[in-house]
Amino acid sequence: MLELRLVQGSLLKKVLEAIKDLVTDANFDCSATGFSLQAMDSSHVALVALLLRSEGFEHYRCDRNISMGMNLNNMSKMLKCAGNDDIITIKGDDGSDTVTFMFESPNQDKISDFEMKLMDIDSEHLGIPEAEYHAIVKMPSSEFGRICKDLSSIGDTVVISVSKEGVKFSTRGDIGSANIVCRQNKTVDKPEGATIIEMNEPVSLTFALRYLNSFTKATTLSESVTISLSSELPVVVEYKIADMGYIRFYLAPKIEDEEEDMKS
Amino acid sequence: MLELRLVQGSLLKKVLEAIKDLVTDANFDCSATGFSLQAMDSSHVALVALLLRSEGFEHYRCDRNISMGMNLNNMSKMLKCAGNDDIITIKGDDGSDTVTFMFESPNQDKISDFEMKLMDIDSEHLGIPEAEYHAIVKMPSSEFGRICKDLSSIGDTVVISVSKEGVKFSTRGDIGSANIVCRQNKTVDKPEGATIIEMNEPVSLTFALRYLNSFTKATTLSESVTISLSSELPVVVEYKIADMGYIRFYLAPKIEDEEEDMKS
DNA sequence: ACAACAAAAT
DNA sequence: ATTTTGTTGT
């Protein structure tokens, strides 16, 4: 028996908008801790980890750990039928091969329930090691989104370099090249608008912009994004979900060999 | 000689937007009563009935009853050339095979006239019998539109059931099933936002969502919609046009045979 | 002002 | 069927 009542239903709608383009099918894992998901993207290059802690739900009942395989496109279709101000309740019965999404309009005049078939999904639940990062950049999520979008009109990959100067995003393509430098800036009025760089060691890594642009679909979930970088390690792009948890995206850096360096 | 001057020209523009996807050609009938139209959709499944009463026009001259066959797509193209605040005058001469639409901008700075060829259309003018309905639901037109749109992302048909509880819209498709229940609700501030259910007898009928979604193109014409249901009778979906008349859409229910019932 | 959605044109 | 344009909501 599973019953998770989320007052701010728009959060779940946004979460699905953020990941459904990256991952087609995934297992949602439900435990006393919360409602979580971990999945590779279809080309097995990027990894998404979602956590919605039980404390963030108005009502959270999960009698036993359960893993529910869902087609995220279909789930997203159903959640699109919820109003942005609706309360969403996720319901599951033990042994059932369906999940029910219930939507309640704010004034309780309209109650909808959508039943979706579950699917069996082989999930290789990867343990993600906690790592020390050479540099952690926190910046407005909208700014990061804009940079990824802008650079992808010039090139396919971005070099993210963190130094004392700030964080630099560089790309190069047929029509030219571009560098965007963001300096640390704590002096903004609201803390969410700040750009904060914690650097233990300079780091410079190359990533495919295609994936970063997918990650920025989560921009609506949080005003700020945290980018954690270490050489040889996947970058972590994290969007905090207010009072509930996070979405984290992991992406391995491209290893540029000498030849490619020389071409560029 | 025909001369109909409509101050709120946007009404006519909206009317055409509402019906031109359903009906390609139709006869507009003009009499002392008003300007009206009755036509089947191209697949002869749905019926549209429009009435704009003569009293709603600023000036209404119609010397003798006349029926003018128009291609609604072409008529719509011409009306798109009228500004939303323009005054529209429809002019016809006896024996002429054209109709003229005249548009006057609010400040009289711009006067346009568009002449359109008429066409001969066989019209089987059906008598629509007045019927007693088992249930009449009045609800915000936007909400009805949203429900039809949402459900059509799940299934092709909707079962509309009225009971004391309220009105329920249900569908079923490959990815799952859905039920949306709207309760009666007279306690909203503005009367147009209310959901009012008059029920003599419970009723449950199945309709093709495709047509209902066409009907909801009329949502812009009225804040509320009235849905009249009786078993075995076509549903009537009516949008009142302020001070002038209405658009009514008729759609026969699907008769679910045993076989289909068993499949679902 | 931007992005998502729906309508129209090719 | 696909691309472009206009409209709506955030």
Side-chain angles (χ1 to χ4, degrees):
Chain A
M1 173 65 173
L2 178 78
E3 202 169 290
L4 319 184
R5 185 177 161 93
L6 180 62
V7 174
Q8 200 180 339
S10 60
L11 279 184
L12 194 62
K13 288 170 61 108
K14 286 178 186 167
V15 161
L16 259 103
E17 282 307 300
I19 59 180
K20 75 161 208 287
D21 290 336
L22 208 56
V23 180
T24 53
D25 304 302
N27 284 313
F28 281 88
D29 297 312
C30 207
S31 73
T33 315
F35 192 61
S36 66
L37 169 150
Q38 199 191 87
M40 301 289 291
D41 84 292
S42 18
S43 52
H44 277 243
V45 174
L47 186 142
V48 189
L50 164 74
L51 174 63
L52 299 175
R53 281 184 215 94
S54 50
E55 305 92 271
F57 292 83
E58 194 210 27
H59 171 72
Y60 192 94
R61 175 172 171 188
C62 175
D63 297 348
R64 57 180 195 80
N65 290 4
I66 190 172
S67 184
M68 295 181 293
M70 306 195 198
N71 175 296
L72 298 191
N73 243 307
N74 293 344
M75 181 176 174
S76 170
K77 268 189 197 168
M78 290 195 165
L79 292 181
K80 283 219 175 103
C81 303
N84 278 326
D85 301 323
D86 283 4
I87 296 166
I88 297 182
T89 304
I90 303 169
K91 290 180 185 177
D93 282 312
D94 292 336
S96 163
D97 63 343
T98 63
V99 62
T100 299
F101 303 108
M102 188 176 99
F103 311 139
E104 298 167 69
S105 71
N107 55 19
Q108 300 285 319
D109 283 349
K110 181 175 160 192
I111 313 272
S112 319
D113 59 87
F114 285 69
E115 191 174 86
M116 187 178 77
K117 292 199 185 78
L118 294 175
M119 46 194 309
D120 265 318
I121 298 166
D122 300 339
S123 73
E124 341 128 42
H125 198 97
L126 311 178
I128 298 165
E130 283 292 315
E132 282 292 308
Y133 286 94
H134 292 170
I136 299 180
V137 177
K138 186 179 171 204
M139 59 160 64
S141 57
S142 56
E143 194 170 329
F144 178 64
R146 177 71 195 268
I147 289 168
C148 292
K149 175 171 152 275
D150 285 350
L151 293 187
S152 60
S153 73
I154 311 293
D156 298 328
T157 61
V158 61
V159 181
I160 306 181
S161 318
V162 184
S163 71
K164 270 167 268 173
E165 322 305 320
V167 53
K168 185 170 79 174
F169 303 86
S170 309
T171 193
R172 172 177 297 278
D174 294 341
I175 69 169
S177 63
N179 298 289
I180 300 174
V181 179
C182 299
R183 291 195 334 192
Q184 168 142 299
N185 168 16
K186 296 181 175 175
T187 59
V188 203
D189 294 347
K190 45 175 194 174
E192 303 303 338
T195 298
I196 296 164
I197 298 169
E198 286 173 40
M199 189 194 76
N200 300 317
E201 219 178 296
V203 60
S204 180
L205 296 165
T206 305
F207 301 99
L209 278 165
R210 184 188 143 204
Y211 292 100
L212 295 183
N213 271 314
S214 267
F215 301 169
T216 61
K217 295 270 160 68
T219 300
T220 47
L221 277 163
S222 176
E223 295 264 301
S224 64
V225 62
T226 306
I227 304 156
S228 306
L229 300 143
S230 267
S231 21
E232 322 275 303
L233 276 188
V235 62
V236 187
V237 179
E238 171 174 316
Y239 296 84
K240 287 242 188 304
I241 301 171
D243 304 324
M244 292 214 69
Y246 54 77
I247 297 194
R248 292 181 185 147
F249 300 97
Y250 297 80
L251 178 64
K254 291 211 160 198
I255 309 302
E256 304 255 337
D257 57 33
E258 290 250 329
E259 205 131 345
E260 268 188 309
D261 281 354
M262 284 172 72
K263 263 192 289 184
S264 65
Chain B
M1 172 62 171
L2 177 78
E3 201 168 292
L4 319 183
R5 184 179 163 91
L6 180 62
V7 174
Q8 200 180 338
S10 60
L11 278 186
L12 195 62
K13 287 167 62 103
K14 286 178 187 169
V15 162
L16 261 102
E17 284 306 301
I19 58 181
K20 75 164 208 291
D21 289 336
L22 208 56
V23 180
T24 53
D25 306 302
N27 284 314
F28 281 87
D29 297 312
C30 207
S31 74
T33 317
F35 192 61
S36 66
L37 169 149
Q38 197 191 89
M40 300 288 291
D41 82 292
S42 17
S43 51
H44 277 242
V45 175
L47 186 143
V48 190
L50 164 74
L51 173 64
L52 299 174
R53 282 186 213 93
S54 50
E55 305 93 273
F57 292 84
E58 195 210 27
H59 171 72
Y60 191 94
R61 174 173 173 189
C62 174
D63 297 348
R64 56 179 195 82
N65 290 4
I66 190 173
S67 184
M68 296 181 292
M70 306 197 198
N71 175 295
L72 298 190
N73 242 307
N74 294 343
M75 181 178 175
S76 170
K77 272 187 194 166
M78 290 196 167
L79 292 180
K80 283 219 174 108
C81 303
N84 276 326
D85 301 324
D86 284 5
I87 296 166
I88 298 182
T89 304
I90 303 169
K91 291 180 185 175
D93 283 313
D94 290 338
S96 162
D97 63 344
T98 62
V99 62
T100 299
F101 303 108
M102 189 177 95
F103 312 140
E104 298 167 67
S105 70
N107 54 21
Q108 300 286 321
D109 284 351
K110 180 176 159 194
I111 314 272
S112 323
D113 59 271
F114 287 69
E115 191 174 85
M116 188 177 76
K117 291 203 183 74
L118 294 175
M119 45 196 307
D120 265 320
I121 299 166
D122 300 341
S123 73
E124 342 127 45
H125 198 97
L126 310 179
I128 298 166
E130 283 291 316
E132 281 290 307
Y133 287 95
H134 291 171
I136 299 179
V137 177
K138 186 178 173 209
M139 58 159 67
S141 57
S142 58
E143 195 170 328
F144 179 65
R146 176 75 195 266
I147 289 167
C148 291
K149 175 173 151 277
D150 283 349
L151 291 186
S152 60
S153 74
I154 311 292
D156 298 328
T157 61
V158 60
V159 180
I160 305 181
S161 318
V162 183
S163 70
K164 269 168 264 172
E165 323 303 320
V167 53
K168 183 168 82 172
F169 302 87
S170 308
T171 193
R172 174 177 296 277
D174 293 341
I175 70 169
S177 63
N179 299 289
I180 299 175
V181 177
C182 298
R183 292 194 332 194
Q184 166 142 296
N185 167 15
K186 296 181 176 175
T187 60
V188 203
D189 295 347
K190 43 174 194 173
E192 303 302 339
T195 299
I196 296 163
I197 297 169
E198 284 173 42
M199 187 194 78
N200 300 317
E201 219 178 297
V203 61
S204 180
L205 295 165
T206 304
F207 301 99
L209 279 164
R210 186 188 143 203
Y211 293 100
L212 295 183
N213 271 314
S214 267
F215 301 169
T216 61
K217 294 272 157 69
T219 299
T220 47
L221 277 164
S222 176
E223 295 263 303
S224 65
V225 63
T226 305
I227 305 156
S228 305
L229 301 144
S230 267
S231 20
E232 322 274 303
L233 274 187
V235 62
V236 187
V237 179
E238 170 175 319
Y239 297 84
K240 287 243 187 307
I241 300 171
D243 303 325
M244 293 213 70
Y246 54 78
I247 297 194
R248 291 182 187 149
F249 300 97
Y250 297 79
L251 178 64
K254 291 211 161 201
I255 309 302
E256 305 256 336
D257 57 35
E258 293 251 325
E259 204 133 345
E260 269 188 308
D261 281 354
M262 284 174 72
K263 261 193 290 185
S264 65

